Amino acid sequence: MMESTHNSIKIRIIKRATYGLGFYLTNDREAAVISGLVVDCEAEKSRLVLPGDRISAVNSIHVEAMTFAQVLAILEKIPAESPVVLLLKGPANCHTRLVTFFGEDGAPHTTRITEPVSSQAQTQTQAQAQTQTVKTDATVKTTIDGKSNGDIAASSTVQSQLMSIGTDLQQRLTRIEDFIQQGAMFRPVARTDSLGFLPALLEQGGTGQINGGGAGVVPSKSSNNFEEDIPPGSPGLHRRTDSQSSLLRSANSRASLRRRSILTAPNSAQIIPSQTGDSTDESFSARDRRSSITTHSAQNHITLGRKSSNLEPSSIMSAGDSQRNNRSPSPTSMSANNKKYVKLKYLVDGKTTMDTLYRQSSQTLNCNPHRCTSSLLNTVRPQNSLARPKEEVLSLAKDFIRQYFESIKRYGTPAHVTRWNDVEAQINETGNYEFKEQELTFAAKSAWRNSQRCIGRIQWTKLQVFDARFINTPRTMFEALLNHIKYATNRGNIRSAITIFKQRTTPETDFRIWNQQIIRYAGYKQEDGSIIGDPASTEFTETCQKLGWKGANGRFDILPIVVSASGQDPELFDIPKEIVLQVMMKHAEYPKFAELDLKWYAVPVVSNMLFDVGGIFFPAVAFSGWYMNTEIARDYVDVSRYNLLEDIANVFNLDTSKISSLWKDQAFLELNKAILYSFQSTNTTIVDHHSASESFMKHLENEQKVRGGCPADWVWIVPPLGGSLLPVFHQEMLDYRLSPCYDYQEEAWRVHVWKKDKSKSSQAPKSKRKFGFREIARAVKFSAKLMSKALARRIRATIIFATETGKSERYAKALFDVFKYGFDVNVISADHYDLTHLEHEALLLIVTSTFGNGDPPDNGKEFAGYLHQLSSPDENFGHRSQLYTRTGRNVGSSLDRQETVNQDNFMESGGPLGNVRFAVFGLGSSSYPHFCAFAHHVDQSLRNLGGECILPIHTGDELNGQDQSFKKWATEVFRVACDDFCLGDDVNMADANAALSQGDSSWTRGRYRLRPVTGGVSDELPAALGQTHNKNVQTYTLKGRRHLQSKESTRQTILVEIEAEEDIPYHPGDHVALFAQNDTASITGLLDRLGIRPSPSPMQVEVLVEKAIGMTVTKTWKRLDRLPLLPLDMLFASILDITTPPSQMLCECLASLALDPTERERLMQLSKNTEQYENWKRFNWPTLLEVLDEFPSVEVDPTLLLVELPLLQPRFYSISSSALTNPKQIDATIGLVAYLTKGGNGPVHNGVCSSYLNKLPLNEKVFCYIRSASTFHLPSKLSMPIYLIGAGTGIAPFRSFWQHFEKMRETKSADKLEVSLIFGCRNSKLDHIYRDEIEALRKNGTIQHFYLALSREHGIPKAYVQSVIPTIAEKLFTDISQRGAHIYVCGDVGMAAGVHDAIRDVCLAKGLTEIEAVKLLDHLRSSDRYHEDIFGNYNMASGY
């Protein structure tokens, strides 16, 4: 809803749980004035709210006569996720209105126009009034880059400028609207910049320039540019200097009142487009806006929602701006020096784009107004210019750190401030600084992205970065380059990669790669002046020969690698032939072509470029991509290269006697066809020039949306074949240089200062390193081991686990034991993982469980939210449905879903995770409908974000061989990962696989010991539980317990009442997690079996670890942090699970301790044969003590149990009370569990927690914590129909609901509420729990409709809750389709599935098709109107 009257507009926005309405308020003489907007939140997204707007009405309540505090109270009382209608007044003496127009896509676009009243007298009066207001305002102190600005007053210059603005405003506005009608794309003015250049001018004492009326229609532009960009013909073209922008940002919170007075300036119009335009453009512009965070002082500024940070990173912001302000303008755009854009036309259809990114160019091209040098091959920096002064390094470093933190959306955060302070300190001390690994990865990718001469940049996100800065010697440099070749080659499926060696400290101590390309053919100059081989390599070939290398004088001899470290003389190494992939050339239609005996190497590795980033140079880098066919073709036919064009023409019998026969063109075309055919027939990656051209046009489009431009050198981009047949030929391009970048530098052999013969002139140095055949063979064999070790130090594998019970963590640690054989591995919990590193991971392994009905585990919620944010950067998230939507009843395993990689798609752009390889293992129970739903969601999200899945998702079912499923996956994913990173030949697979059962995290005899802590004090049990489970465990008191069912019933349910000393924060629908204790008899029996007497002394488990110090390996005992310091009997009572059947892994350990061969064999069978194990477990469901009784020869080591037994998990129960009724009490409805094993002939087993709570004396302590169930919460407004459907103990959460309803009705907050309760039980007299409460609720009107389904009632047919659904079909369908009804379902899986199907059948009966019915139910889920709290089908695994 958007309406407007004179100088007022009415808008509708949503108040979110986070950041509320998304704007800041300031108290201006008791009026509520908007002083700033929060990035990416509701107000800014609407594009209809501006700083300076006054709030006149809220939800039809006029607030102008109210105090500021009263307005705040009204706004704060509005519930989260509720719509709010605001009446906003624009600046005084202005006319504010909304205008709707239609873009070229046909979509409506609503814009806001704020224009001054066009009266010259009024203009003059208003300008004088503003001047006076500014003069009398309080002093504002703003510090920017150490400069202090005191009281500020408007000068007469500014007054005259203000009075002269906009005499032709109406004509200009007409031109703006004409421009809008042309379908241009817009983005909103940054909130601190809207009408903000005027305060900047005033605060600077009247300096600066205003061109026109200060109006701005602002097209989409880069996130790194804070300036408004205005198309030609638009009124009010103005430019604000960077220092003024900086002043505005840092002074924003302190000058709100002055800004208010300036906002009333006449003749200033702002057209702000709304959010209803193209969604793609919106996503990019929203991403752009993240870089311009506004901070506000705490005084008189509040955020309506979550508090904002008080951080004011003005020094960072101003530093970046100051650096940009000091840049030299690009000579190529001298004539347009003051322009904010350069128009670029696509001549095919006449469409134009506006490049604004070029203004961020930090380097000067060699063009000037009198000449253009763009067609020169390269321009090399003078060697003496490469040592930068400290001031320049500081400036460039500050700009790079800004870029990096903008890229990870942490611009202006404390982390940004801390990092810059660290970098600044390093530079001030040494003139240099070290990059973090993630920063280096970002820089390398950005440099490729900025490479204006590269046509294949669309895959810049997929660049694999090898950090080789730890390397110190030529030998290890050589090994790293061999690894690079091996990785990039990838058996012909070429991958882009870069290896980066140490940065420059001084030019005299550089690390250098002397080869122009790592793989290149030699060129031998003959006595007669002819050349055998590649003429481009003759000079470097001679250098290699002087170093002692002797080639074979062939046309295609691979040159050696020559490297130098720390400025020392170079060393030479031959490349093993087996790692260089070469393609023999042949033609599909002319077999004779093969007689030319041509070949070419598959991987081009450029190695003579200078990597320039953040003021630091890296002179030794090796970058590789893939070939385009024309590149190789030119190498064959160029006169300065092999010059084979005439020989090739003869193969095709072409007439070479005259040029006009076009034989050159035809021969060149056939050569390109042969190159493509040769590569493709050997499954070797290559791209044709047409595909490359199309992909570059796509890249230009992407970059225009994201950054507002793309540097491109037309002369280099357009391929030498195809000409005007290619789209790039018709595209105007703008050549400029951005940082980071790859630059040219002098060849190493030309500038090297020889150490061993400083008087070297023409005398050639002797060979530095030459190997014979045997030495090479030994070196290759030896280097294989070094290669694997070096690669392991560079290829990082990150294992992230998300767990509710701790099992995912155990699996993750077992996976670590395997992957440490080939990778640098890090294991980390999802909630401790730095999410900003995700985009820079090389290999990501996810091990995650799924909680309840498809939710992420507690410690995986933030990770899920971040994936959602990456997928939908413009959406707020907080609800499960916004994280991921479950649209089906079951999510099956995708083991069968093998995805093939189409090599033809390698030129497509990657997503934000384009360089991440990943694999996912999910844990779950098939008793739940959404089996491993969260794992599937993570897998699909990573795919959608561009990640490369190296192995389809595997899942482990706790009811069917979960351990074996994990072992199979771990073995397979390690093999695939080693293969993918070319480590397969260098890793002992047998040792790695054996680590699954013998690794550091697995128990082996003698590796662990149990030791009493002498004089130690046991941990307090609540603290011990909290430490073990990483939860905030609270201590409450059991105050009451009563039975809810008749004693004659076959089932028993109790209501327990738990009391706290203080209010307990929770919502209806939340869960309470209760910690139980194993029964005393089981603990005593187990201790007797172990031969241990209870002792009050705390015990600790210690593990024997090895530590290498130099060449010596020492072994020490280290405490195992898994368990708290408690006596042994307390560990078995409260910490460890001794009732759940042992896992297959534990059975394998027990087998190793069995003395009887028969028992040992039986235990081994159970550990290896999943079918036998599951049958044995299902029939016996044995406790640990029963297993030890079954296998009496097992001599149990207590440390085995302490290491391998699972933790005793808390049990979750729906809270059955409302905090509005008794804020200090929690009620829980608990069904007592008891069952017979062995088909009814075995011992009775009781549920651990239910029996514990049933026997626990009153007034004893209970340990628990609250788990939020946000997806089962009530709606914020209780004005729609609500259906509560539950059976048995499934009614538990609804008791909290109806208590809440009663209290809300007392305050008249739920008068329109309409509640329907559908409850099912066996017998109305024996099992109808809460009968009396329900009857009372029906009488007082809290529950309007009640339906009882009885499945064991004598004399009536069986009925279940789903049986009720058809009887209320008419009302139910109307409520869900027209009245916004919410449905809550609580119970076991079977009941929930039955209810879902019954509702679907109602939809079908009402005329919907199957597809429409499914879509309707999916819509209910995605909009949080269909809520489920489901527990698995009852099985003995529950332990309740």
Side-chain angles (χ1 to χ4, degrees):
M1 175 174 60
M2 293 172 291
E3 302 176 8
S4 60
T5 59
H6 174 68
N7 203 31
S8 296
I9 58 172
K10 184 183 290 186
I11 65 170
R12 178 182 183 274
I13 58 179
I14 305 297
K15 180 179 179 182
R16 299 299 184 186
T18 303
Y19 291 120
L21 295 170
F23 55 72
Y24 298 91
L25 284 182
T26 188
N27 184 349
D28 183 10
R29 303 177 180 88
E30 291 303 323
V33 179
I34 295 172
S35 60
L37 309 183
V38 183
V39 172
D40 285 351
C41 293
E42 291 301 306
E44 188 191 51
K45 285 185 177 182
S46 74
R47 305 189 183 190
L48 300 172
V49 182
L50 282 178
D53 287 346
R54 291 171 175 261
I55 299 179
S56 296
V58 180
N59 290 339
S60 300
I61 301 173
H62 291 278
V63 299
E64 286 186 309
M66 296 183 182
T67 65
F68 182 71
Q70 289 172 327
V71 178
L72 291 185
I74 291 175
L75 292 170
E76 289 176 337
K77 286 181 180 179
I78 297 174
E81 310 306 325
S82 300
V84 182
V85 178
L86 298 176
L87 183 63
L88 301 178
K89 274 193 176 181
N93 297 311
C94 288
H95 181 198
T96 299
R97 70 183 189 274
L98 300 178
V99 177
T100 300
F101 61 93
F102 292 88
E104 62 181 6
D105 58 355
H109 300 253
T110 299
T111 69
R112 166 180 170 155
I113 298 179
T114 296
E115 57 181 306
V117 178
S118 56
S119 168
Q120 186 65 30
Q122 197 171 24
T123 300
Q124 182 174 355
T125 302
Q126 186 63 36
Q128 293 172 347
Q130 289 170 350
T131 303
Q132 184 63 34
T133 302
V134 173
K135 287 181 178 180
T136 57
D137 271 345
T139 299
V140 177
K141 297 288 187 179
T142 304
T143 302
I144 298 177
D145 287 341
K147 298 179 181 180
S148 178
N149 297 280
D151 297 343
I152 302 171
S155 68
S156 58
T157 303
V158 175
Q159 295 179 42
S160 61
Q161 289 175 333
L162 286 172
M163 289 185 289
S164 64
I165 291 174
T167 56
D168 58 342
L169 180 62
Q170 294 303 324
Q171 292 89 338
R172 292 175 181 270
L173 287 176
T174 301
R175 290 161 64 189
I176 293 175
E177 294 180 359
D178 289 341
F179 182 77
I180 292 173
Q181 294 298 332
Q182 296 173 9
M185 295 184 299
F186 304 105
R187 72 162 191 89
V189 178
R191 58 185 179 281
T192 56
D193 298 336
S194 55
L195 294 177
F197 68 101
L198 293 173
L201 291 171
L202 291 175
E203 296 190 21
Q204 289 190 335
T207 61
Q209 178 181 0
I210 302 177
N211 300 316
V217 179
V218 187
S220 177
K221 66 178 184 59
S222 165
S223 63
N224 298 329
N225 193 339
F226 290 99
E227 300 170 344
E228 294 97 355
D229 308 313
I230 305 176
S234 299
L237 178 64
H238 65 271
R239 178 184 181 187
R240 183 177 62 250
T241 65
D242 290 329
S243 60
Q244 292 164 351
S245 300
S246 174
L247 183 60
L248 264 180
R249 282 189 290 276
S250 59
N252 182 60
S253 64
R254 303 175 179 87
S256 59
L257 292 182
R258 262 202 302 279
R259 186 178 299 114
R260 177 191 58 75
S261 62
I262 296 300
L263 282 169
T264 63
N267 301 324
S268 299
Q270 288 289 326
I271 297 184
I272 309 296
S274 75
Q275 195 181 3
T276 58
D278 179 72
S279 60
T280 303
D281 297 333
E282 162 60 19
S283 66
F284 284 114
S285 62
R287 188 180 310 165
D288 295 342
R289 294 193 300 274
R290 292 191 187 111
S291 62
S292 54
I293 298 173
T294 303
T295 57
H296 292 258
S297 65
Q299 184 177 5
N300 287 336
H301 288 79
I302 65 164
T303 304
L304 298 180
R306 192 176 66 187
K307 264 193 174 180
S308 62
S309 171
N310 290 328
L311 173 71
E312 293 191 10
S314 58
S315 61
I316 291 181
M317 294 180 179
S318 61
D321 294 336
S322 175
Q323 191 276 334
R324 289 193 293 275
N325 205 33
N326 291 332
R327 293 174 181 161
S328 302
S330 174
T332 59
S333 58
M334 282 289 189
S335 61
N337 188 25
N338 293 320
K339 285 187 177 181
K340 303 193 178 296
Y341 62 91
V342 173
K343 291 180 65 175
L344 302 174
K345 181 179 290 187
Y346 182 47
L347 301 179
V348 173
D349 56 15
K351 288 185 177 179
T352 61
T353 57
M354 300 176 193
D355 192 306
T356 59
L357 181 65
Y358 85 96
R359 298 184 62 82
Q360 298 183 40
S361 176
S362 60
Q363 298 185 25
T364 301
L365 298 177
N366 290 324
C367 302
N368 62 39
H370 306 290
R371 59 173 171 80
C372 175
T373 63
S374 61
S375 60
L376 297 181
L377 181 63
N378 58 40
T379 51
V380 181
R381 292 169 178 261
Q383 184 74 1
N384 59 6
S385 71
L386 298 184
R388 284 177 167 142
K390 183 183 296 185
E391 293 73 16
E392 185 179 359
V393 175
L394 275 169
S395 178
L396 293 171
K398 191 170 286 188
D399 185 57
F400 171 73
I401 297 299
R402 172 190 61 80
Q403 290 184 52
Y404 173 72
F405 277 92
E406 283 179 351
S407 75
I408 63 173
K409 306 172 186 66
R410 298 295 185 272
Y411 179 63
T413 62
H416 183 184
V417 176
T418 301
R419 176 57 179 153
W420 167 242
N421 289 339
D422 177 50
V423 170
E424 185 178 34
Q426 291 184 53
I427 296 173
N428 286 329
E429 182 177 352
T430 66
N432 216 320
Y433 66 100
E434 292 290 331
F435 292 88
K436 293 185 177 181
E437 187 174 356
Q438 289 77 18
E439 294 169 352
L440 190 70
T441 299
F442 166 75
K445 292 180 180 181
S446 297
W448 187 15
R449 184 186 193 183
N450 295 335
S451 298
Q452 70 268 33
R453 291 183 171 181
C454 178
I455 194 173
R457 282 177 277 165
I458 196 168
Q459 283 206 335
W460 66 273
T461 60
K462 294 187 176 182
L463 179 66
Q464 175 64 50
V465 180
F466 293 119
D467 184 359
R469 292 176 295 168
F470 62 90
I471 286 177
N472 294 306
T473 66
R475 161 65 66 176
T476 49
M477 289 179 69
F478 167 65
E479 292 162 0
L481 294 173
L482 292 185
N483 289 332
H484 182 118
I485 296 171
K486 194 175 180 182
Y487 171 85
T489 303
N490 192 30
R491 299 176 178 83
N493 187 15
I494 309 300
R495 300 181 287 198
S496 56
I498 185 171
T499 298
I500 304 173
F501 296 98
K502 283 191 174 181
Q503 65 197 55
R504 168 173 292 158
T505 53
T506 63
E508 295 77 22
T509 58
D510 275 351
F511 283 67
R512 289 296 301 269
I513 304 170
W514 288 40
N515 307 61
Q516 292 177 321
Q517 292 187 28
I518 296 300
I519 305 172
R520 201 162 193 179
Y521 296 126
Y524 305 99
K525 185 178 290 186
Q526 307 300 303
E527 291 182 0
D528 60 359
S530 62
I531 296 174
I532 298 176
D534 189 349
S537 301
T538 54
E539 189 175 357
F540 182 63
T541 301
E542 291 174 354
T543 300
C544 293
Q545 290 172 331
K546 292 176 181 179
L547 290 171
W549 181 74
K550 294 181 180 179
N553 268 359
R555 288 197 302 168
F556 300 104
D557 296 342
I558 296 176
L559 286 162
I561 292 177
V562 180
V563 291
S564 57
S566 301
Q568 299 300 310
D569 290 343
E571 295 189 24
L572 177 149
F573 305 89
D574 282 308
I575 305 176
K577 293 182 179 179
E578 61 270 16
I579 73 168
V580 179
L581 176 61
Q582 300 182 81
V583 178
M584 299 302 299
M585 296 299 159
K586 54 187 177 180
H587 197 286
E589 301 170 10
Y590 293 88
K592 189 178 178 182
F593 184 86
E595 296 177 6
L596 290 173
D597 196 27
L598 301 180
K599 60 182 176 181
W600 205 259
Y601 46 91
V603 183
V605 189
V606 179
S607 53
N608 64 341
M609 300 290 284
L610 181 74
F611 180 28
D612 183 358
V613 51
I616 303 299
F617 293 116
F618 291 84
V621 295
F623 174 90
S624 63
W626 50 85
Y627 269 119
M628 184 167 63
N629 56 294
T630 55
E631 294 175 293
I632 301 175
R634 283 194 56 198
D635 291 335
Y636 283 138
V637 304
D638 280 4
V639 175
S640 60
R641 300 299 292 277
Y642 278 85
N643 195 19
L644 297 174
L645 186 60
E646 192 166 351
D647 294 340
I648 293 170
N650 292 334
V651 170
F652 300 109
N653 298 318
L654 301 179
D655 180 9
T656 61
S657 62
K658 52 184 178 180
I659 296 178
S660 60
S661 67
L662 303 183
W663 66 270
K664 293 185 178 182
D665 304 74
Q666 188 172 353
F668 191 62
L669 177 61
E670 293 297 336
L671 173 61
N672 277 274
K673 290 168 62 178
I675 293 169
L676 287 170
Y677 174 74
S678 302
F679 271 72
Q680 292 167 356
S681 62
T682 57
N683 293 320
T684 304
T685 300
I686 195 169
V687 61
D688 66 89
H689 53 291
H690 286 279
S691 298
S693 180
E694 294 286 350
S695 75
F696 185 74
M697 294 300 292
K698 179 64 176 176
H699 177 68
L700 282 180
E701 179 184 348
N702 293 342
E703 291 292 89
Q704 183 65 41
K705 291 178 180 178
V706 177
R707 298 205 293 176
C710 176
D713 188 339
W714 190 95
V715 175
W716 281 70
I717 293 295
V718 178
L721 182 64
S724 61
L725 301 177
L726 305 174
V728 292
F729 182 90
H730 305 280
Q731 176 64 58
E732 292 182 342
M733 302 178 192
L734 192 62
D735 185 13
Y736 50 93
R737 294 184 183 178
L738 300 174
S739 180
C741 64
Y742 301 116
D743 212 339
Y744 296 103
Q745 61 180 334
E746 288 283 2
E747 301 296 348
W749 66 81
R750 294 175 181 163
V751 297
H752 179 71
V753 178
W754 295 88
K755 302 299 184 293
K756 292 188 177 180
D757 185 5
K758 295 184 179 180
S759 61
K760 174 184 180 295
S761 54
S762 60
Q763 180 66 33
K766 295 183 179 179
S767 171
K768 302 300 174 187
R769 181 66 64 90
K770 185 68 177 74
F771 298 104
F773 175 79
R774 291 184 178 179
E775 188 174 6
I776 291 175
R778 286 195 302 269
V780 170
K781 184 176 180 180
F782 175 70
S783 69
K785 296 181 179 179
L786 294 179
M787 284 163 59
S788 64
K789 292 179 180 179
L791 193 60
R793 291 166 65 183
R794 288 182 289 144
I795 301 297
R796 183 178 67 251
T798 300
I799 302 172
I800 298 177
F801 64 86
T803 183
E804 196 74 39
T805 66
K807 198 163 192 179
S808 295
E809 180 178 5
R810 293 182 62 213
Y811 282 169
K813 291 179 178 178
L815 196 62
F816 169 86
D817 292 336
V818 177
F819 270 77
K820 69 180 182 181
Y821 281 83
F823 295 84
D824 178 16
V825 195
N826 179 36
V827 179
I828 190 167
S829 171
D831 57 343
H832 293 155
Y833 177 71
D834 186 343
L835 295 167
T836 62
H837 294 171
L838 187 62
E839 300 175 43
H840 305 300
E841 296 290 358
L843 178 60
L844 188 65
L845 303 166
I846 308 290
V847 182
T848 180
S849 61
T850 297
F851 179 79
N853 192 33
D855 296 310
D858 265 350
N859 67 343
K861 289 180 178 179
E862 186 178 358
F863 186 78
Y866 188 73
L867 290 180
H868 175 79
Q869 186 184 30
L870 284 178
S871 302
S872 306
D874 293 328
E875 296 181 20
N876 292 323
F877 56 89
H879 297 293
R880 177 189 60 195
S881 62
Q882 293 172 304
L883 297 178
Y884 63 99
T885 303
R886 302 186 305 269
T887 56
R889 292 300 303 166
N890 292 285
V891 182
S893 171
S894 64
L895 288 174
D896 301 329
R897 183 167 23 113
Q898 300 287 340
E899 294 194 3
T900 57
V901 178
N902 185 353
Q903 291 193 19
D904 293 335
N905 294 332
F906 73 96
M907 287 298 291
E908 293 180 356
S909 60
L913 305 186
N915 194 45
V916 179
R917 293 167 181 82
F918 73 91
V920 178
F921 183 80
L923 293 77
S925 171
S926 57
S927 66
Y928 285 87
H930 302 293
F931 173 60
C932 291
F934 181 61
H936 283 278
H937 165 70
V938 170
D939 177 75
Q940 193 59 50
S941 296
L942 293 174
R943 291 173 187 266
N944 294 342
L945 290 166
E948 178 185 337
C949 181
I950 64 173
L951 190 67
I953 183 175
H954 281 49
T955 56
D957 184 0
E958 72 174 359
L959 302 182
N960 188 18
Q962 193 174 72
D963 286 349
Q964 289 303 314
S965 297
F966 169 74
K967 285 185 176 181
K968 180 180 179 181
W969 174 78
T971 301
E972 181 68 7
V973 76
F974 180 68
R975 182 192 64 78
V976 172
C978 288
D979 186 58
D980 202 59
F981 287 95
C982 305
L983 293 175
D985 299 334
D986 307 320
V987 175
N988 190 322
M989 290 291 177
D991 289 348
N993 294 334
L996 275 173
S997 55
Q998 302 173 6
D1000 292 344
S1001 61
S1002 302
W1003 183 88
T1004 52
R1005 191 193 296 267
R1007 191 161 179 268
Y1008 293 88
R1009 72 178 184 184
L1010 188 62
R1011 189 175 68 86
V1013 181
T1014 305
V1017 178
S1018 297
D1019 293 331
E1020 294 292 333
L1021 188 55
L1025 292 170
Q1027 168 195 334
T1028 303
H1029 297 273
N1030 194 27
K1031 301 294 181 183
N1032 183 20
V1033 177
Q1034 302 295 318
T1035 303
Y1036 297 151
T1037 303
L1038 180 63
K1039 298 302 292 184
R1041 177 176 53 234
R1042 61 187 173 96
H1043 285 264
L1044 299 176
Q1045 289 174 272
S1046 170
K1047 295 181 179 179
E1048 299 175 4
S1049 175
T1050 57
R1051 298 183 176 185
Q1052 291 297 316
T1053 304
I1054 59 174
L1055 175 70
V1056 297
E1057 299 169 347
I1058 302 169
E1059 190 176 78
E1061 295 180 358
E1062 299 179 352
D1063 290 356
I1064 306 172
Y1066 70 93
H1067 297 280
D1070 284 346
H1071 300 151
V1072 58
L1074 293 167
F1075 289 94
Q1077 291 186 6
N1078 295 305
D1079 68 279
T1080 305
S1082 297
I1083 300 168
T1084 302
L1086 182 59
L1087 291 175
D1088 289 343
R1089 179 69 170 77
L1090 295 174
I1092 297 176
R1093 291 185 177 181
S1095 169
S1097 298
M1099 307 292 288
Q1100 72 179 22
V1101 180
E1102 295 179 340
V1103 58
L1104 189 62
V1105 296
E1106 294 183 351
K1107 185 176 181 180
I1109 303 176
M1111 299 298 292
T1112 305
V1113 177
T1114 60
K1115 294 183 177 181
T1116 58
W1117 290 100
K1118 180 183 177 182
R1119 181 193 168 191
L1120 187 68
D1121 294 331
R1122 178 176 184 247
L1123 301 175
L1125 291 177
L1126 290 172
L1128 203 57
D1129 57 339
M1130 288 189 66
L1131 289 174
F1132 285 123
S1134 302
I1135 305 300
L1136 298 171
D1137 187 347
I1138 63 174
T1139 61
T1140 299
S1143 66
Q1144 287 181 279
M1145 289 183 180
L1146 182 53
C1147 287
E1148 185 177 357
C1149 294
L1150 293 175
S1152 67
L1153 300 176
L1155 302 179
D1156 183 90
T1158 304
E1159 293 182 9
R1160 185 185 310 117
E1161 179 63 25
R1162 174 60 176 157
L1163 284 166
M1164 286 301 296
Q1165 288 178 353
L1166 293 175
S1167 70
K1168 302 298 182 183
N1169 189 312
T1170 299
E1171 183 178 0
Q1172 286 188 25
Y1173 170 77
E1174 290 299 333
N1175 291 335
W1176 169 79
K1177 182 178 72 172
R1178 193 175 298 111
F1179 181 75
N1180 296 281
W1181 204 259
T1183 65
L1184 175 61
L1185 187 57
E1186 289 170 349
V1187 171
L1188 296 179
D1189 290 340
E1190 183 179 350
F1191 300 97
S1193 74
V1194 174
E1195 292 187 345
V1196 186
D1197 188 326
T1199 62
L1200 168 63
L1201 303 183
L1202 297 175
V1203 170
E1204 293 293 337
L1205 282 179
L1207 299 175
L1208 182 60
Q1209 297 299 323
R1211 272 42 174 182
F1212 293 93
Y1213 297 99
S1214 295
I1215 297 176
S1216 298
S1217 57
S1218 170
L1220 296 181
T1221 302
N1222 188 345
K1224 292 183 172 60
Q1225 180 173 310
I1226 287 178
D1227 295 348
T1229 305
I1230 300 173
L1232 300 182
V1233 176
Y1235 55 90
L1236 292 171
T1237 61
K1238 298 184 179 181
N1241 299 315
V1244 176
H1245 285 187
N1246 295 305
V1248 176
C1249 193
S1250 60
S1251 62
Y1252 168 73
L1253 291 172
N1254 192 37
K1255 298 176 182 177
L1256 186 68
L1258 296 182
N1259 297 316
E1260 286 292 322
K1261 300 301 181 185
V1262 177
F1263 308 112
C1264 60
Y1265 65 90
I1266 304 298
R1267 189 184 198 277
S1268 174
S1270 59
T1271 59
F1272 208 72
H1273 285 175
L1274 290 167
S1276 56
K1277 284 191 175 181
L1278 300 177
S1279 58
M1280 70 288 293
I1282 292 180
Y1283 288 82
L1284 309 178
I1285 306 172
T1289 56
I1291 200 174
F1294 302 147
R1295 186 172 186 259
S1296 72
F1297 283 14
W1298 69 57
Q1299 288 186 4
H1300 183 79
F1301 295 157
E1302 280 193 297
K1303 290 297 182 181
M1304 295 298 288
R1305 282 167 59 86
E1306 291 176 5
T1307 61
K1308 307 298 182 181
S1309 301
D1311 289 343
K1312 297 181 180 180
L1313 181 66
E1314 183 180 334
V1315 179
S1316 299
L1317 174 62
I1318 304 174
F1319 174 61
C1321 62
R1322 292 189 169 194
N1323 187 285
S1324 61
K1325 296 180 180 179
L1326 304 179
D1327 306 306
H1328 188 179
I1329 60 179
Y1330 300 125
R1331 179 207 303 266
D1332 295 339
E1333 290 187 33
I1334 294 173
E1335 288 299 324
L1337 293 166
R1338 294 178 65 186
K1339 290 179 181 179
N1340 66 26
T1342 301
I1343 296 178
Q1344 286 81 11
H1345 308 283
F1346 175 66
Y1347 308 94
L1348 181 62
L1350 302 170
S1351 61
R1352 300 291 191 276
E1353 187 81 359
H1354 179 69
I1356 64 173
K1358 285 185 177 182
Y1360 301 96
V1361 288
Q1362 55 264 41
S1363 307
V1364 176
I1365 303 299
T1367 67
I1368 59 173
E1370 189 73 32
K1371 181 180 185 303
L1372 176 64
F1373 183 75
T1374 301
D1375 287 345
I1376 63 176
S1377 62
Q1378 299 178 25
R1379 301 182 61 198
H1382 282 245
I1383 297 175
Y1384 292 83
V1385 181
C1386 183
D1388 64 36
V1389 171
M1391 184 276 287
V1395 170
H1396 178 276
D1397 293 343
I1399 297 176
R1400 181 199 59 200
D1401 292 342
V1402 166
C1403 297
L1404 295 175
K1406 290 301 178 181
L1408 271 61
T1409 65
E1410 182 78 29
I1411 294 177
E1412 290 171 338
V1414 171
K1415 284 186 176 180
L1416 175 58
L1417 288 173
D1418 287 345
H1419 172 70
L1420 293 179
R1421 292 181 187 277
S1422 64
S1423 58
D1424 272 345
R1425 290 172 49 207
Y1426 195 100
H1427 314 263
E1428 292 177 309
D1429 191 352
I1430 299 175
F1431 41 86
N1433 284 322
Y1434 173 73
N1435 59 69
M1436 291 172 286
S1438 64
Y1440 283 71

